Amino acid sequence: MKNEENLLLLRNYDLWCHLSDQEYDELKVSHHFIEAKKGDYIYFDSHHLNKLYFVKGGYIKIGYIDEEGNEIVKEIIREGEIFGQFALEKKNLNGEFAKAYKGNVSLCAFSIEDFERLLKQKPELAIKYAKQVGEKLRRAEFRLLQMLNKDVRSRLLSFFYNLALMEGYSGTAPSFVFNNFLTHEDVAKLIGSARQTVTTVINQLEEEGLIKITRKKITLPDIQRLRQLVMVT
């Protein structure tokens, strides 16, 4: 029963959605499922890491510790996303850590060698994987450009609009609501700002009717107006 549940969860990924029962068994995907508890490190000493991970449930915090001992958050990974050695190279994460965030997580983990063999067996899987990696790199480049060229207000507007797109916003509805998995501290680290500054600007955006944040939900009451502001800032 557990194996069937894992197959159904894995098929939620666009990457794996066309995997047949027979192919699932032949590729021995079920052998790669792991579970981690809230706060557990998936890896920390990444010098020896040789794995690629797919999140099938929960959240993963990706970051590193700077020279002063501060935790720097690079991104927060959610269901359906990839992390680890996604470039399929060994020992290139330069001190990166990954740990279970907000709650327990379920993962599918492959060694680089196993995943490369899988891609050779399934060329259509390799094409989808290349597109997913490309999208991940584009998002990272966009965040870097935002931090270099935009003020905090502009970064926040772009951050919440793009977060809505990632959460399934179609681009047509006048408003949008999605689950909140971020603290103000998380947002500050993700856009390269101070928490106090982010809290101040979020309060201003709430007063302007552009956003409403509770512990469980993020609401964009006038997402079309927010989008227009993103386009001009």
Side-chain angles (χ1 to χ4, degrees):
M1 182 63 181
K2 184 66 173 176
N3 192 49
E4 292 177 0
E5 291 176 356
N6 283 335
L7 176 56
L8 289 172
L9 284 168
L10 196 62
R11 280 180 175 156
N12 289 331
Y13 292 109
D14 179 60
L15 189 67
W16 306 95
C17 62
H18 298 299
L19 201 66
S20 69
D21 293 359
Q22 182 178 350
E23 288 170 330
Y24 180 85
D25 291 334
E26 289 174 352
L27 296 174
K28 297 181 172 57
V29 176
S30 61
H31 295 178
H32 300 276
F33 284 104
I34 61 175
E35 306 285 334
K37 294 181 179 180
K38 178 182 178 180
D40 284 354
Y41 282 96
I42 312 304
Y43 55 80
F44 191 91
D45 183 7
S46 60
H47 178 71
H48 301 291
L49 176 66
N50 186 28
K51 289 186 178 180
L52 170 72
Y53 298 85
F54 298 83
V55 184
K56 70 185 185 71
Y59 299 96
I60 297 290
K61 180 187 288 187
I62 307 292
Y64 63 94
I65 306 299
D66 68 13
E67 294 179 354
E68 298 178 352
N70 300 311
E71 183 183 273
I72 306 300
V73 178
K74 294 169 60 177
E75 56 183 330
I76 294 176
I77 302 295
R78 292 162 294 170
E79 180 179 329
E81 296 191 72
I82 57 175
F83 68 100
Q85 299 283 16
F86 61 86
L88 303 184
E89 297 177 350
K90 297 181 180 179
K91 302 178 182 179
N92 70 338
L93 294 182
N94 301 319
E96 179 181 287
F97 70 77
K99 73 176 182 178
Y101 183 59
K102 295 287 187 181
N104 298 342
V105 299
S106 301
L107 307 167
C108 188
F110 292 88
S111 70
I112 292 176
E113 293 81 4
D114 285 346
F115 193 69
E116 285 179 338
R117 281 194 292 270
L118 191 155
L119 294 180
K120 289 176 182 177
Q121 294 176 56
K122 297 282 291 180
E124 64 272 30
L125 189 69
I127 294 172
K128 285 188 174 183
Y129 180 71
K131 290 180 178 179
Q132 190 166 355
V133 171
E135 177 59 29
K136 186 178 180 70
L137 293 175
R138 280 192 295 274
R139 291 205 307 264
E141 182 181 24
F142 175 79
R143 283 182 56 210
L144 177 59
L145 290 172
Q146 287 278 306
M147 284 189 279
L148 291 173
N149 299 310
K150 303 291 186 179
D151 60 21
V152 174
R153 175 186 168 87
S154 298
R155 276 181 265 164
L156 276 173
L157 291 171
S158 294
F159 177 82
F160 285 115
Y161 181 71
N162 283 284
L163 190 59
L165 293 176
M166 292 174 65
E167 291 291 332
Y169 176 61
S170 65
T172 57
S175 62
F176 190 68
V177 181
F178 52 97
N179 291 332
N180 183 13
F181 58 93
L182 299 165
T183 65
H184 285 194
E185 183 72 21
D186 293 331
V187 175
K189 289 179 178 179
L190 288 169
I191 70 166
S193 182
R195 183 200 58 77
Q196 187 173 359
T197 303
V198 164
T199 297
T200 298
V201 178
I202 285 177
N203 289 339
Q204 292 172 354
L205 295 177
E206 287 186 330
E207 290 176 3
E208 294 174 39
L210 288 167
I211 191 169
K212 181 179 179 182
I213 299 178
T214 66
R215 294 185 64 181
K216 293 185 177 181
K217 297 290 182 180
I218 295 175
T219 303
L220 306 179
D222 190 350
I223 194 169
Q224 295 296 336
R225 179 175 163 229
L226 188 149
R227 178 180 178 276
Q228 290 172 357
L229 290 171
V230 169
M231 295 298 104
V232 298
T233 57

